[in-house]
Amino acid sequence: PLYFGHSCWLAAIYCFEYRWVHLRWTSNARLDYFERHWLYFAGFGFPVSVVSFMCPRFIDAGVFALFFPLCILTAIVAEPRALRLAPRPLRRLPVFLVVQGISCRMLHMFE
């Protein structure tokens, strides 16, 4: 379940990366946006991940490559909405909290 969830998020991030680069968003803006719309991104990557998981190992790469351009086009026109009615702890899921903390500590060590 955890691997599948990460696969959904990864597929969504791959697709939205093109949009974010075009909009010239910084890495922090991208992470903040992802953490505020985490449920949308899980759902966005779900169809591609399900199809990829159902196919044999070599064929799943071809299936992903087949659907990836369509997902990019969908991501360009998508308008995710933040979770406003959800309980406060679920509105923003700090998925990258540990990675950001380690990165910041490493950068401070080399200053």
Side-chain angles (χ1 to χ4, degrees):
L2 185 62
Y3 179 70
F4 181 75
H6 284 127
S7 177
C8 293
W9 281 337
L10 190 61
I13 287 175
Y14 282 161
C15 296
F16 275 83
E17 186 70 21
Y18 291 90
R19 177 183 180 179
W20 295 335
V21 167
H22 176 71
L23 296 173
R24 297 184 183 187
W25 284 11
T26 63
S27 296
N28 289 335
R30 296 174 195 182
L31 292 178
D32 181 58
Y33 190 79
F34 178 83
E35 289 178 350
R36 284 186 288 116
H37 300 89
W38 63 272
L39 188 58
Y40 180 87
F41 286 107
F44 188 90
F46 182 81
V48 174
S49 296
V50 165
V51 173
S52 293
F53 272 74
M54 294 172 87
C55 295
R57 183 69 187 139
F58 183 68
I59 295 174
D60 71 339
V63 169
F64 185 81
L66 183 67
F67 288 113
F68 187 61
L70 178 64
C71 292
I72 292 172
L73 294 174
T74 307
I76 290 171
V77 298
E79 295 181 16
R81 297 182 189 154
L83 295 171
R84 292 191 180 113
L85 301 177
R88 192 148 185 83
L90 293 177
R91 289 184 193 166
R92 180 181 178 145
L93 187 67
V95 178
F96 299 104
L97 182 67
V98 175
V99 175
Q100 285 177 319
I102 292 171
S103 298
C104 287
R105 288 180 194 234
M106 293 295 286
L107 289 172
H108 286 300
M109 284 177 35
F110 294 110
E111 282 185 340

